[in-house]
Amino acid sequence: MRPPPGRDLGKSNAQFARASQRLPLGVSSTFRYWGDDRTIYVDHGKGGRLWDIDGNAYVDYRLGYGPAILGYADDRVDAAARRGMEVGGVFALSTERELAVADRIAAMVPAAEMVRFSNSGTEAVMAALRLARAHTGRDSYLLVEGGYHGLFDAAMWMANVEGWDRNSNRDPEVISYSRGIPQELKTLAHLVPMNDLQRLEDTFRRYGDTMAAMLIEPIQGNCCGITASADYVRLARALCDRHGVLLIIDEVKTGFRVAKGGVQSLYGVAPDICTFAKAVANGYPIAVVAGRREVMRTFRYGGAAHGGTYTAHAVSLAAAEECLRILDETPALETIAGYGEALKAGISTILGRRGIAHSYAGHPSMFGLFFAERAPDNYRDWKTSDYSFYDRMALFLHDLGVICEPDSREPWFICEAHGTDDACLAETLAAVETAVDLTLEHFEAEKRA
């Protein structure tokens, strides 16, 4: 087997050694830790590329988990953000731009009759669930297995399929996916598998009259882009109506990325509440809770509490105003989807020539790659599949100057700048071809060993 490609990560490794004395795992988010000798520290990013402190250049398909929808350091959005700085910062008061941005969102998303701003996806979904509880007077809620709704206690529940026997006629145990979650909260969270219509009906029949909300990502942003069928989403809407449950469509990753009106517009289903975050302001911190007027007015004194010191910050609002204008009024989304389709086609050509079965899930702007004839349509099938080829290939890609998430749950994200950079696609496909061959050699060597 030929030696794997190498990068000089000397400066990043030295930074990690220093940082880990002050920052747990040397980072400010656990998911940025890629190992003691592979964690990288960014120097800067521009367009669809980033450079680490060692000077290594990468074509980046993580994009901060999706926020840089136009590309890093977009001149148009950054100029708007600088104008936002002139407003003066944080006042604990409102500005006129809040309404301007809310009006833009409402025009793009018909279900967004009223809007409140938050700072992160976690905050937005947390507020949405609180709003649903306040409006309905109920406490329990429904989650779809494989969905990710942020790092707050109520949302951090998953189906434990490790060692689970799918022929046992029982569901996997529901467990928290972090320590520190009060276990008594588990009684409030009901989980159902994606795309199992019968199980969805059965769960509503049993618990529907006690649930405040159903939360769903129709394209699962932390489960490789696994996608709900149209029938599943429409049934969810009908069952929520029948049982007085509020439907929350979590668009933290899909919102303003897969379509101007979000994923809900692709399904033709209007939620009661929806949340947005990643692509709203091209990386500036802002999130959105939106929904039906009657429901949203529950945000009031004596109703559901909502606020935050940095909520609707002038800089983020100005960036959001310009980013949403670009997504709404220019062909940016078509450019993004077109590049995604071209990238998938190129990867398929490479894999097809080698007889490697593969498939995709999600949307061209955020797709998952599977090494199987058919992409799974639920978390249980994904979790029990073999994703070792992807995991190894991802490490080779990093060494070859292409960044994808090393955890195969995360989709590949596309930005407008990928589509306007003539070299991005060719460089990426050259790296993919080499990485695939190295991965094949790696597993062949393991068999011989």
Side-chain angles (χ1 to χ4, degrees):
M1 177 179 173
R2 62 180 137 163
R7 289 172 291 164
D8 180 3
L9 291 178
K11 290 182 179 179
S12 280
N13 290 342
Q15 177 66 19
F16 172 80
R18 293 189 296 270
S20 58
Q21 301 304 307
R22 188 70 67 190
L23 304 168
L25 293 178
V27 292
S28 294
S29 171
T30 301
F31 311 106
R32 300 173 192 174
Y33 170 74
W34 290 355
D36 290 7
D37 60 351
R38 295 186 69 91
T39 296
I40 66 172
Y41 293 84
V42 174
D43 178 79
H44 70 284
K46 182 66 178 175
R49 301 170 182 268
L50 64 81
W51 288 260
D52 66 24
I53 60 175
D54 288 282
N56 299 305
Y58 306 88
V59 181
D60 183 21
Y61 295 101
R62 287 173 79 250
L63 301 176
Y65 295 128
I69 190 167
L70 303 176
Y72 294 117
D74 182 85
D75 293 338
R76 300 160 295 181
V77 176
D78 288 353
R82 284 191 289 273
R83 292 193 293 272
M85 293 179 191
E86 297 170 4
V87 174
V90 176
F91 307 104
L93 294 167
S94 291
T95 64
E96 290 180 307
R97 189 169 271 130
E98 292 171 43
L99 177 57
V101 176
D103 281 344
R104 172 77 70 172
I105 292 168
M108 295 171 76
V109 184
E113 294 177 353
M114 299 192 82
V115 170
R116 273 289 180 95
F117 295 103
S118 289
N119 297 300
S120 68
T122 290
E123 287 184 39
V125 181
M126 185 166 56
L129 181 56
R130 184 186 305 123
L131 176 65
R133 286 169 160 167
H135 188 76
T136 63
R138 303 171 181 177
D139 292 333
S140 70
Y141 51 97
L142 185 63
L143 303 172
V144 178
E145 293 174 4
Y148 176 74
H149 302 290
L151 290 171
F152 67 104
D153 291 356
M156 297 176 68
W157 300 98
M158 61 183 285
N160 181 19
V161 299
E162 300 291 344
W164 169 67
D165 180 3
R166 64 173 55 246
N167 298 315
S168 64
N169 200 31
R170 62 177 179 81
D171 286 329
E173 179 188 9
V174 175
I175 61 171
S176 58
Y177 57 83
S178 170
R179 296 180 65 177
I181 309 298
Q183 293 303 296
E184 56 267 27
L185 294 179
K186 181 164 60 175
T187 61
L188 298 176
H190 307 294
L191 269 71
V192 291
M194 177 84 96
N195 289 321
D196 187 330
L197 278 67
Q198 187 60 56
R199 284 298 311 283
L200 186 61
E201 287 199 75
D202 291 344
T203 302
F204 266 91
R205 189 177 299 114
R206 186 173 181 185
Y207 301 110
D209 294 341
T210 66
M211 294 191 307
M214 175 179 178
L215 291 87
I216 183 172
E217 291 179 290
I219 298 176
Q220 294 190 327
N222 281 63
C223 199
C224 218
I226 288 174
T227 303
S229 69
D231 286 345
Y232 188 81
V233 178
R234 290 167 187 156
L235 177 61
R237 176 69 276 176
L239 290 170
C240 284
D241 288 341
R242 188 181 309 164
H243 292 271
V245 176
L246 298 186
L247 179 62
I248 302 173
I249 294 186
D250 182 344
E251 299 234 35
V252 165
K253 287 193 173 179
T254 57
F256 310 117
R257 167 172 283 281
V258 303
K260 293 180 182 180
V263 72
Q264 58 194 269
S265 70
L266 302 182
Y267 285 88
V269 171
D272 301 293
I273 308 171
C274 44
T275 57
F276 305 85
K278 301 284 188 187
V280 174
N282 202 53
Y284 288 88
I286 192 170
V288 174
V289 185
R292 283 198 292 122
R293 189 175 307 276
E294 173 196 0
V295 174
M296 292 294 291
R297 289 198 186 280
T298 307
F299 281 136
R300 64 178 186 271
Y301 289 113
H306 176 263
T309 299
Y310 298 103
T311 297
H313 191 286
V315 173
S316 294
L317 270 177
E321 184 176 48
E322 178 63 5
C323 182
L324 291 173
R325 183 199 66 78
I326 293 166
L327 297 176
D328 192 20
E329 298 179 4
T330 78
L333 289 179
E334 288 81 359
T335 299
I336 291 166
Y339 183 92
E341 291 288 12
L343 178 57
K344 289 196 298 178
I347 293 172
S348 289
T349 298
I350 292 166
L351 296 175
R353 284 201 298 259
R354 289 155 179 80
I356 300 174
H358 65 283
S359 51
Y360 300 98
H363 184 272
S365 68
M366 51 174 291
F367 63 85
L369 169 61
F370 296 90
F371 288 96
E373 292 284 356
R374 186 175 65 86
D377 69 354
N378 66 84
Y379 172 77
R380 298 179 187 185
D381 286 349
W382 171 79
K383 188 64 176 176
T384 55
S385 66
D386 183 1
Y387 34 89
S388 56
F389 193 96
Y390 180 95
D391 291 347
R392 173 54 58 177
M393 184 188 75
L395 299 182
F396 286 133
L397 283 172
H398 293 183
D399 292 329
L400 291 161
V402 171
I403 292 289
C404 60
E405 177 64 26
D407 182 338
S408 59
R409 290 174 296 184
E410 192 74 17
W412 289 44
F413 289 99
I414 309 301
C415 68
E416 183 191 28
H418 286 137
T420 58
D421 182 332
D422 294 337
C424 268
L425 185 62
E427 289 178 22
T428 300
L429 293 177
V432 168
E433 186 152 30
T434 300
V436 167
D437 287 341
L438 286 168
T439 305
L440 289 169
E441 292 173 18
H442 169 84
F443 284 110
E444 186 60 36
E446 280 195 341
K447 288 180 185 177
R448 294 194 301 265

